[in-house]
Amino acid sequence: MESLQVQEESILIEKVCQIYEKLSKLETLKPSKDVDNLFTQLVHACIPHSSINIANHSANIQEIRSKLIRLCGQAEGLLEAHFSTILGSFKNPLHHLNIFPYYSNYLKLGRLEYDILNKHYSTTSETPKRVAFVGSGPLPFTSIVLASYHLKDTTFHNYDIDSTANSMASRLVSADQDLSKRMVFHTADIMDVTDELKDYDVIFLAALVGMNMDEKNKVIQHLAKYMAPGALLMLRSAHGARAFLYPVVDPNVLHGFNVLSIFHPDDDVINSVVISRKFVEPVNIDNNYLHLDIGSLMASSCKYCDIQPFNHPLGQMKMIDESM
């Protein structure tokens, strides 16, 4: 069994490296037949369940993975900008969201994240009043899906460093009487946002905010410093071979937070979801490091994965749930 696993991992890595070489030689990653075909091959190679731990592989593979994630991020941004432009040409863009080829994935992910959030948000029937999404981009599907179908009385504050992306995103909801009032767009580097972060009940951190471990850890530490005690942080991560597509969030680096649960989808929804709660106790910060009670941190360490069925109206999603 071990030799078979090694063989499967070798085939996977060879395939991913071949695709990376082709992608890296393209003049542009704007949507086109060649770009779409290569990324489709990459996703199909990485989506099947795999026990691969990329961190255990060579420095060369680590470097290729890091570069590949950046290429994926660039291509995803260009794809979203392309379709945001098309959608913005309609009188009511929200009526045409299904022209985006992965819209159904966002519907599934939105329902998944809502159910996770609903499970951990509160012991009462209250729902979050103010939610922030960091790294919303030109096509803020998560905020739109959650605001339209799940959190219908919640205000969503969308943060992106790119003013053009925010202008494109704002145009998508401007014709909708409801969402135009509940969707707010801020052009800012989240590292420059401080006291305002205390105003949010829940903060979502997009998968591509922080392309590597160091960058993402800095953002997480910043959020830990300024978020309100008891507020929830929803992070997107990756598991297995999907870590070739998106950065992995190590729950052990979530200093200042109590990790509540980790969900690894086992279907065409690529991102894992990590939900954590900001500690209520004061957290002392010295030289950009957070000092915590080790006992409280160890209490939130992960259990081994337990595969369970997850049911929702969009169909059955099998996933790995590491409840804390």
Side-chain angles (χ1 to χ4, degrees):
M1 287 297 292
E2 185 175 348
S3 60
L4 178 59
Q5 179 180 333
V6 171
Q7 183 180 5
E8 290 176 346
E9 290 186 7
S10 297
I11 293 172
L12 169 65
I13 290 172
E14 182 179 2
K15 177 69 172 177
V16 169
C17 289
Q18 289 174 351
I19 296 172
Y20 164 73
E21 289 298 325
K22 293 177 182 178
L23 284 171
S24 63
K25 292 176 182 177
L26 294 176
E27 293 184 2
T28 177
L29 294 176
K30 290 181 179 179
S32 67
K33 184 176 180 180
D34 288 342
V35 172
D36 294 347
N37 284 341
L38 285 173
F39 277 106
T40 297
Q41 291 177 40
L42 180 63
V43 170
H44 286 171
C46 295
I47 271 190
H49 176 73
S50 172
S51 58
I52 187 172
N53 184 348
I54 299 173
N56 293 334
H57 287 267
S58 69
N60 180 54
I61 298 302
Q62 303 287 350
E63 184 179 1
I64 289 175
R65 172 185 174 258
S66 179
K67 292 179 178 179
L68 186 57
I69 287 175
R70 292 190 180 274
L71 290 178
C72 289
Q74 294 172 23
E76 186 172 308
L78 291 168
L79 181 69
E80 290 187 0
H82 173 75
F83 277 94
S84 186
T85 300
I86 295 173
L87 287 166
S89 67
F90 291 105
K91 183 177 180 180
N92 194 327
L94 298 185
H95 293 170
H96 304 275
L97 297 180
N98 60 356
I99 70 170
F100 186 69
Y102 306 110
Y103 179 56
S104 62
N105 286 30
Y106 278 97
L107 289 174
K108 292 179 181 179
L109 181 58
R111 180 55 191 258
L112 165 62
E113 290 180 322
Y114 169 72
D115 284 345
I116 296 170
L117 182 62
N118 196 44
K119 177 181 177 181
H120 293 287
Y121 177 68
S122 176
T123 56
T124 71
S125 59
E126 295 179 0
T127 57
K129 291 180 173 60
R130 291 167 61 90
V131 169
F133 192 97
V134 179
S136 48
L139 207 56
F141 271 134
T142 296
S143 294
I144 290 173
V145 168
L146 290 174
S148 299
Y149 300 109
H150 307 298
L151 297 172
K152 298 183 179 181
D153 297 315
T154 301
T155 301
F156 287 80
H157 289 255
N158 301 280
Y159 286 85
D160 201 279
I161 201 169
D162 186 345
S163 60
T164 302
N166 275 336
S167 296
M168 298 173 76
S170 179
R171 192 179 305 125
L172 300 181
V173 299
S174 60
D176 189 273
Q177 290 187 352
D178 177 30
L179 292 197
S180 62
K181 298 174 183 175
R182 293 194 292 120
M183 295 272 283
V184 184
F185 297 90
H186 305 273
T187 300
D189 183 335
I190 199 62
M191 298 298 287
D192 296 328
V193 181
T194 55
D195 292 339
E196 299 96 316
L197 296 175
K198 293 182 175 66
D199 297 334
Y200 302 117
D201 304 308
V202 182
I203 295 181
F204 285 79
L205 186 63
L208 293 173
V209 174
M211 289 288 201
N212 58 46
M213 186 71 75
D214 289 339
E215 292 174 4
K216 193 171 288 289
N217 288 354
K218 288 178 182 178
V219 176
I220 292 170
Q221 287 183 15
H222 180 76
L223 295 175
K225 182 177 179 180
Y226 291 104
M227 283 175 63
L232 293 180
L233 177 62
M234 301 279 287
L235 303 118
R236 289 175 180 172
S237 182
H239 184 66
R242 301 172 189 216
F244 280 115
L245 307 175
Y246 289 102
V248 175
V249 175
D250 181 356
N252 293 315
V253 306
L254 291 175
H255 306 313
F257 295 93
N258 179 29
V259 180
L260 303 174
S261 198
I262 303 171
F263 288 80
H264 300 306
D266 199 23
D267 66 349
D268 55 350
V269 175
I270 295 173
N271 290 122
S272 300
V273 179
V274 181
I275 182 169
S276 60
R277 177 176 283 114
K278 167 78 177 288
F279 281 134
V280 176
E281 297 82 4
V283 178
N284 296 321
I285 298 179
D286 180 27
N287 296 327
N288 295 324
Y289 289 94
L290 302 177
H291 300 281
L292 304 171
D293 175 5
I294 298 300
S296 63
L297 184 61
M298 293 300 291
S300 66
S301 60
C302 298
K303 297 178 183 177
Y304 288 103
C305 299
D306 179 24
I307 298 178
Q308 300 176 351
F310 184 81
N311 299 303
H312 59 78
L314 292 166
Q316 190 176 71
M317 181 187 299
K318 186 173 67 175
M319 63 179 51
I320 302 168
D321 176 3
E322 301 178 14
S323 295
M324 301 301 115

